[in-house]
Amino acid sequence: MLKYQQIASEIQQDIEKDDLPQGTKLPVLETFMSKYKTSKSTVIKALSLLERKGLVYQVRGSGIFVRRRNRKGYISFSNQGFSDELSEFDITAKVMELDIRKPPEDVAFNLKIHPKEDVYYVRRIRYINGQTLCLEESYYNKSIVTYLNTEIATGSIFDYISNALGVKIGFSDLYFHIQKLNQEEAQQLQLKKGDPKLFVETIFYLNNGVPFDFSKVTYNYQQSQFFFQSTGHSL
Amino acid sequence: MLKYQQIASEIQQDIEKDDLPQGTKLPVLETFMSKYKTSKSTVIKALSLLERKGLVYQVRGSGIFVRRRNRKGYISFSNQGFSDELSEFDITAKVMELDIRKPPEDVAFNLKIHPKEDVYYVRRIRYINGQTLCLEESYYNKSIVTYLNTEIATGSIFDYISNALGVKIGFSDLYFHIQKLNQEEAQQLQLKKGDPKLFVETIFYLNNGVPFDFSKVTYNYQQSQFFFQSTGHSL
DNA sequence: AAGTGGTCTAGACCACAGG
DNA sequence: CTGTGGTCTAGACCACTTG
């Protein structure tokens, strides 16, 4: 782990351990420099990371202050996409379908592959604290995600991909829509036809820019409470 | 403007001017260093900024590549909050109410003021390309936003606040919910009761951490297409 | 092995907030 | 004016990808 990440992580832990309230001033840079025996630039880099994560805000000429989330029960929506801190919630999944097939046209387009190439198709229902959270349909480029089974898909597929397959996940594009549930979706989410839904299409890329997963997720509107922290000025 | 911002801006313009496709490799760092007569660190800082903005992705040991937005008609949702690039759309507003009043309890709480202090209350309907985009109710701390009138509120209130009042806007917290429209909202958005809505509560802070605006916005689900780019690894 | 991006440092200098 | 955060530099060194 890089030094500035390590420092950021320790400062974050200190903030959380002491449960510092919003607006608390952190020590001056000099303090961190000597505490971690490092240069000013590295300390600033660590703190900038925390600022982007929404943990602190920096006021030039004044100091660095703690920024806190004020509401509970929201799914955080940081730059990792969702489920950054799934640990806060109890998330489980039930696999409805899993097979190898040829991708539909839109999927092939988004994954930038030929419609003749194989993809893994997975359909799951995911639960949060025992309630239906979402319906998920995912297509994985089989030449990248070389193997998948029901047991794996019951847990976190991404953990499996990055840990077991050694594939490095990069960035993603998310497209959000608000729509109405159709009959089938309503039934699976235990809601009514015509009820609201959040529908998200996501393309996940490897760190070298190759798309490997295209997924369509329909969220239960009753569980769809999201939280997002903006940092304003382009850091 | 800072040097690294200037460089980032110029590189961005070059990318857009030449309409470089996704995956195009940018020149190596050395090229930028001599072109802008600057140090390696500064070039990296500029490119990291562009990476966070979703314009490029960096692959260690390989190069820096262009990343592009693939779909049109989505409202971008960068770290500035929404309406980063309102220029892409034609956004107008109709002011329904504007007055000075005492804040309801939840508003006072979120603005961290006493319920006896004055706030500006503004209710607007905003339009995008002539269609109803959202209903907006905003409360501004009057001790910070000292003056407001209907003419100002017809345009961009934030432009007015930052330019005319010289107030420096910092960061914001956004809370998203998916809900159903009630009768009154449906009527104003020209939709039906029970139709989906995206409901967003936002607290805006000054750059020194003081909250100055609390707003509740109800979006027309038919216009609610948002786009978000995740950068994955914590930059 | 060569090329390329990225970290880290030490120090000069700048920009802003607040008394 | 002082304190504090932030930029910028030059260069050493490291980590990853590609051939």
Side-chain angles (χ1 to χ4, degrees), chain A residues 52 71 79-80 230 232 235, chain B residues 52 79-80 201 230 232 235:
Chain A
R52 273 178 256 125
R71 302 185 189 181
N79 271 13
Q80 331 297 352
S230 151
L235 292 164
Chain B
R52 274 178 256 124
N79 270 13
Q80 331 297 351
E201 291 188 319
S230 151
L235 295 162

Side-chain angles (χ1 to χ4, degrees), chain A residues 40-92:
Chain A
K40 193 175 177 179
S41 313
T42 303
V43 172
I44 288 187
K45 200 161 184 179
L47 288 165
S48 296
L49 211 181
L50 291 182
E51 180 168 30
R52 273 178 256 125
K53 288 174 102 176
L55 265 95
V56 303
Y57 57 94
Q58 312 189 331
V59 185
R60 267 233 262 225
S62 176
I64 302 175
F65 304 86
V66 174
R67 178 177 176 191
R68 304 271 323 183
R69 198 201 313 191
N70 299 304
R71 302 185 189 181
K72 298 286 179 188
Y74 285 75
I75 298 176
S76 177
F77 186 87
S78 74
N79 271 13
Q80 331 297 352
F82 296 82
S83 57
D84 183 19
E85 30 184 300
L86 14 85
S87 49
E88 187 180 328
F89 301 97
D90 177 32
I91 304 223
T92 57

